[in-house]
Amino acid sequence: MLIMYKESDLDECVRIYIDAFTAPPLNYDFLTEKTARRYISDLIKTPGFMGYTYWIDGEMAAFCFGKLDNYFEGAVYEVDELAVASAYHRSGIGSTVMNLLETKLAGYNVSAVSLQTSKHLPAFGFYLKNGYEEIKENVTLLKWLGN
């Protein structure tokens, strides 16, 4: 069941985030409870935040956080983070969450869902498989500051 994020879900979202991103294939060994909590808390404070949690038999299995932005073409939901507990990786839960999310957002007259990911991450193939298209005209630019 996909439901709106509640403040009481924070601890479980932090746990799932760490679990999801420290498990294979990503194996991010730099994540700590402190950095994950700060990152997720910042997402929640973003103007236009809309978060959803996905539950199986009373247990949170995934969450999707994003924000609603109003553009010329209408409202666009920008996915900031999708995390699925490692026990559910490759089970179809991520696709289920995205499908349910898209249905809910359509009910809010949201015209599109957008997101950013790296081409070298498994998420790139996941989103392509789920009907998302690469926009070749767009590019993300980054400059490391050496700090």
Side-chain angles (χ1 to χ4, degrees), residues 6-141:
K6 299 182 303 297
E7 202 173 307
S8 59
D9 295 331
L10 178 62
D11 289 342
E12 192 63 11
C13 288
V14 169
R15 186 195 65 76
I16 286 176
Y17 184 77
I18 293 169
D19 175 63
F21 288 91
T22 59
L26 296 177
N27 300 310
Y28 288 167
D29 59 359
F30 54 84
L31 279 178
T32 66
E33 195 274 338
K34 181 180 177 181
T35 58
R37 181 171 301 279
R38 184 178 61 221
Y39 173 65
I40 291 170
S41 295
D42 285 350
L43 291 177
I44 293 164
K45 295 174 198 167
T46 303
F49 170 78
M50 288 179 71
Y52 293 90
T53 56
Y54 184 76
W55 299 78
I56 299 174
D57 298 328
E59 176 186 12
M60 188 187 300
F63 69 86
C64 183
F65 286 176
K67 61 185 165 295
L68 202 56
D69 284 328
N70 292 298
Y71 290 106
F72 301 114
E73 302 87 8
V76 175
Y77 183 80
E78 294 187 17
V79 175
D80 289 314
E81 203 62 70
L82 170 64
V84 177
S86 64
Y88 296 105
H89 283 182
R90 306 198 61 79
S91 70
I93 296 296
S95 295
T96 298
V97 168
M98 293 307 292
N99 288 328
L100 291 170
L101 174 69
E102 292 160 10
T103 299
K104 283 191 180 285
L105 294 172
Y108 293 122
N109 292 319
V110 173
S111 59
V113 177
S114 71
L115 56 94
Q116 288 188 329
T117 191
S118 296
K119 287 184 181 183
H120 72 280
L121 294 177
F124 182 69
F126 165 79
Y127 288 114
L128 289 175
K129 179 186 83 169
N130 280 280
Y132 289 77
E133 300 173 18
E134 180 182 3
I135 300 174
K136 306 238 188 260
E137 300 84 26
N138 289 1
V139 63
T140 298
L141 301 172

